[in-house]
Amino acid sequence: MLHRHAAIGRRTALIAAGTLLLSGICSTAAAEPPPAAGPPPSAAQTLGADKPSAEVLRALQRDLGLTEQQAATRLVNEAEAGTRAGRLRLALGERFAGAWLSGATSATLTVATTSKADVAAIQGQGAKAAVVKASLVDLTAVKGKLDKAASRVSSRNTPLWYVDVPNNRVVVEATNREAAAAFVKTAGLDAEQVAVRLTANRPHLMANITGGDAYYIDGTIRCSVGFSVTKGQQQGFATAGHCGDRGARTTGYNRADQGTFQASVFPGEDMAWVAVNTNWAATPDVRGEGGETVQIGGSVEALVGASVCRSGSTTGWHCGTIQQHGTSVSYAEGVVDGLTRTTVCAEPGDSGGPYVSGAQGQGLTSGGTGDCASGGTTFYQPLNPVLGAFGLTLKTASTGAGAPDQEGGGTDSWSAGRVYPVGAAVTHDGVRYQCLQSHQAQGAWTPADTPALWQRM
C-alpha cells in the first residue's frame, strides 16, 4: 500500500407514435402497418463504447501507445468481446477456464476450456480456443483455500495471491520462497498447485485524499471521490473503505462541509459510501484529462486484458490494462479479497477514486506499488459489489430519463437497480433470460433490449 498519513495507525478516512388522426370528412384510408423493428443494439452501442469521450481516447493514446483509431477500435472490440465471452461461459459451464483479451486493439478474445470438444464452439464465436488442465472453478477453489489460510498465518511476506487466467494457474507473490511455501502449506495445498513469483513490492493503501476530486476526512486525511450514487432520495458517493470509518465527517475539495460516512468495510473488502448534504449534488461525471469530464453509463465489468482508466486527486487521469480479477492483497492493515489488479499508476491521495473502462464504471482505487513517474501496479475494489452490499444506485448519464422499468411479482423478476452476476436468471415480460456480463441494471437496459447483457433462455 502507498504510505498513509504518519499519524494514522488504522484505516481512516455512480411519440407514442403520436397518433395522427386524419379527420378529413372524406378520408377513409386504411391504417398502414407499423414499421418493422430495427436490429437490436450491439454490445458497443449498449455500453456506449461506440461513442467514447475525447478524454478517454486521448488518455488511451498516451498511456497505451495507440493511435486515435486504435483506441476507438479497442473500446468497441472490448465491448463486443464481453458479450461473446459471456455466452461461451454459460455454454461451457464447469469446463470454462477463463477469458481474456490481447493485442493493441483487443482484437483477440481467447476462451479457455478443459475439453478439446469445445474448440469448435469457441472458434464459432470468433474466439481463440485454449485447452487447459484446470477449470476456473478449480482454480478459484485453490485460491479460496489461500484466502482461508490468510487469517492463520502472517502474510506480510506474501502480499498478493490471485488466479492467473491466461496462464491457468494460481499465483502467490512473495518476498521470499520460504514465506510462499509456508503459506501454501498452511492452506493445505501441494507446491505444484501454486506458482510462486518473487517480488520486492508490497502494496499499500493510497490514503493521503468528484469522480476523482479530492475530499478530506475529519479535516486531515485526503482521499478521492469514486462514483456518485443514490440511496432512495439520499445522494452521495462511493469510495474506499480504508479512507474513513462509519461516522467520519468529510469536507469537499473546497473544504466546505460535505457529508458523513454511512458504512465502511476494511479490511476484508475496501468499500464505503458517504452521504452528502444538500449543498452537493450527485452527477454521472468523472474528472478526466485537463479538467474535462467523462460521463458514466453503467457498471458492466470488463474482461482481463481490457483497457481501464483511473482518476485521482493527486495524479489525475491515467490508463492501463486489467491484469486479474478476484485478487487477494495482504496490506499491513489486513487482507482484502476480491480486488482487481491493473497496470495503471497511482499515488497517495488517489485512494477511493474511480476506474472507468470506456463509459462503464469498474471500481475504486484501493492500493498499489510504484508511482506515476516510474510506473506501477494498482488494485481496485470492484464497483458492483459495493452497489450491491450497500443498496446503492449508480448515478449514470441516463439516470432521470424516465421511470425505471421494474417488474414485480417475484424475486427472480428483472428490476432496474439490482446488481446481476454472470449466469443470473430473470423473468421479464414473461420471458426468461440469463445474464452474460456482471452489471447493475439500468432503467433503459431491459433484457429484451440489451442482447449484449442478457441471453434468452
Side-chain angles (χ1 to χ4, degrees):
M1 297 172 289
L2 296 184
H3 65 273
R4 306 178 66 200
H5 192 282
I8 304 301
R10 57 185 182 86
R11 66 187 180 99
T12 56
L14 175 236
I15 71 186
T19 303
L20 179 60
L21 298 178
L22 300 178
S23 56
I25 295 175
C26 298
S27 177
T28 58
E32 294 185 6
S42 67
Q45 291 170 327
T46 298
L47 307 187
D50 61 325
K51 297 178 180 179
S53 68
E55 291 75 21
V56 168
L57 292 177
R58 284 198 295 268
L60 288 174
Q61 292 175 68
R62 179 196 67 200
D63 294 342
L64 297 184
L66 305 176
T67 65
E68 182 178 0
Q69 183 58 54
Q70 285 177 319
T73 299
R74 179 169 183 139
L75 293 174
V76 170
N77 286 343
E78 290 169 357
E80 299 295 341
T83 297
R84 287 186 286 140
R87 291 196 185 103
L88 286 166
R89 180 172 184 167
L90 296 181
L92 299 181
E94 292 190 354
R95 302 187 303 280
F96 177 76
W100 61 93
L101 297 167
S102 57
T105 60
S106 292
T108 302
L109 167 65
T110 302
V111 175
T113 176
T114 56
S115 173
K116 291 181 180 180
D118 294 326
V119 170
I122 293 172
Q123 293 175 339
Q125 285 287 327
K128 180 180 178 181
V131 180
V132 298
K133 292 182 178 180
S135 70
L136 186 58
V137 170
D138 294 334
L139 294 173
T140 302
V142 171
K143 182 185 174 293
K145 292 183 178 180
L146 292 169
D147 294 343
K148 292 179 181 179
S151 63
R152 306 195 304 270
V153 63
S154 173
S155 52
R156 178 159 186 82
N157 292 317
T158 53
L160 198 64
W161 57 100
Y162 51 86
V163 174
D164 180 1
V165 171
N167 290 301
N168 194 234
R169 62 185 185 176
V170 173
V171 177
V172 169
E173 293 195 7
T175 58
N176 60 76
R177 293 196 178 277
E178 293 74 18
F183 187 24
V184 171
K185 183 178 180 180
T186 301
L189 297 168
D190 294 329
E192 59 269 20
Q193 291 179 276
V194 179
V196 174
R197 179 177 179 270
L198 297 182
T199 177
N201 293 327
R202 180 169 178 79
H204 43 99
L205 296 175
M206 298 171 180
N208 260 343
I209 230 297
T210 282
D213 277 356
Y215 73 97
Y216 300 86
I217 304 91
D218 292 332
T220 55
I221 300 302
R222 175 170 58 89
C223 277
S224 299
V225 172
F227 296 93
S228 289
V229 296
T230 58
K231 188 167 186 177
Q233 298 301 310
Q234 177 63 58
Q235 300 186 77
F237 60 87
T239 189
H242 72 263
C243 288
D245 295 317
R246 180 179 179 182
R249 304 285 297 177
T250 70
T251 53
Y253 65 90
N254 55 1
R255 296 289 187 165
D257 286 343
Q258 182 186 63
T260 305
F261 275 79
Q262 301 298 297
S264 181
V265 180
F266 178 82
E269 294 170 298
D270 197 0
M271 58 175 72
W273 84 281
V274 174
V276 298
N277 61 42
T278 56
N279 294 326
W280 297 81
T283 75
D285 297 338
V286 164
R287 186 77 55 194
E289 189 74 17
E292 298 295 328
T293 57
V294 174
Q295 288 202 315
I296 301 303
S299 61
V300 177
E301 183 180 272
L303 294 172
V304 170
S307 56
V308 68
C309 299
R310 177 199 56 73
S311 182
S313 61
T314 298
T315 60
W317 186 250
H318 289 275
C319 298
T321 60
I322 294 172
Q323 293 181 303
Q324 295 103 23
H325 290 303
T327 300
S328 295
V329 178
S330 175
Y331 295 124
E333 294 85 346
V335 173
V336 179
D337 296 316
L339 300 181
T340 294
R341 183 184 190 181
T342 78
T343 63
V344 188
C345 70
E347 295 179 12
D350 289 328
S351 277
Y355 283 73
V356 180
S357 186
Q360 300 299 305
Q362 298 297 311
L364 309 164
T365 302
S366 176
T369 59
D371 54 42
C372 288
S374 59
T377 295
T378 54
F379 305 89
Y380 64 75
Q381 163 68 55
L383 176 58
N384 284 322
V386 181
L387 301 175
F390 298 144
L392 306 173
T393 299
L394 179 65
K395 185 75 171 179
T396 66
S398 61
T399 300
D405 186 338
Q406 185 163 334
E407 183 172 306
T411 57
D412 66 343
S413 296
W414 179 88
S415 178
R418 288 182 183 169
V419 175
Y420 291 104
V422 175
V426 301
T427 300
H428 187 256
D429 285 343
V431 179
R432 295 287 286 170
Y433 297 89
Q434 198 166 22
C435 181
L436 296 173
Q437 302 188 71
S438 176
H439 68 285
Q440 182 176 63
Q442 304 295 313
W445 284 359
T446 61
D449 294 330
T450 51
L453 303 177
W454 295 96
Q455 175 175 274
R456 187 167 178 164
M457 298 174 69

